[in-house]
Amino acid sequence: QVQLVESGGGLVQPGGSLRLSCAASGRLFSIYAMGWDRQVPGKQRELVATITSTAITNYADSVKGRFTIYRDNAKNTVYLEMNSLQPEDTAVYYCKMGSTWYGDFGSWGQGTQVTVSS
């Protein structure tokens, strides 16, 4: 059974940075795609970024150039480096794991809150 545990969320001022981490267990991490979604209460969950097992990345237009997703297969961990954070980035961020090397996401973590406010 897949377990995904996020960490690194918190309160940050506009223009600041945070790095989210997601530790995975229960499945051979290196051969599956990973990603991050986010959700604001009352709104649909939206894609933030994904990374395939071959490190091909994809980003939502709203975060391109500010966020970076990367993975450390030796640590079974995927990261989301977030820079130039803005109040509209405030959300609960969820880590996700795919069932193929490129996607087919079906497992999510419990989420970590990111709040961008002065």
Side-chain angles (χ1 to χ4, degrees), residues 66-84:
R66 300 188 298 123
F67 290 12
T68 302
I69 185 171
Y70 59 100
R71 62 194 296 160
D72 185 337
N73 291 336
K75 295 183 177 179
N76 289 356
T77 300
V78 62
Y79 302 93
L80 186 68
E81 185 78 37
M82 305 186 293
N83 298 313
S84 302

Side-chain angles (χ1 to χ4, degrees), residues 6 8-12 18 20 36-48 62-63 67 80 82 85-94 110-117:
E6 302 98 333
L11 174 64
V12 63
L18 280 177
L20 305 183
W36 292 90
D37 291 338
R38 67 185 180 187
Q39 188 168 24
V40 175
K43 293 190 176 182
Q44 277 195 322
R45 191 173 295 191
E46 63 176 7
L47 178 148
V48 176
S62 59
V63 307
F67 290 12
L80 186 68
M82 305 186 293
L85 283 161
Q86 299 302 318
E88 52 265 34
D89 295 316
T90 296
V92 178
Y93 284 71
Y94 297 91
Q110 82 288 350
T112 185
Q113 176 71 47
V114 171
T115 302
V116 185
S117 175

Side-chain angles (χ1 to χ4, degrees), residues 4 6 22 34-37 78 93-97 107-109:
L4 302 171
E6 302 98 333
C22 172
M34 298 294 296
W36 292 90
D37 291 338
V78 62
Y93 284 71
Y94 297 91
C95 173
K96 61 184 180 181
M97 176 177 265
S107 300
W108 281 264

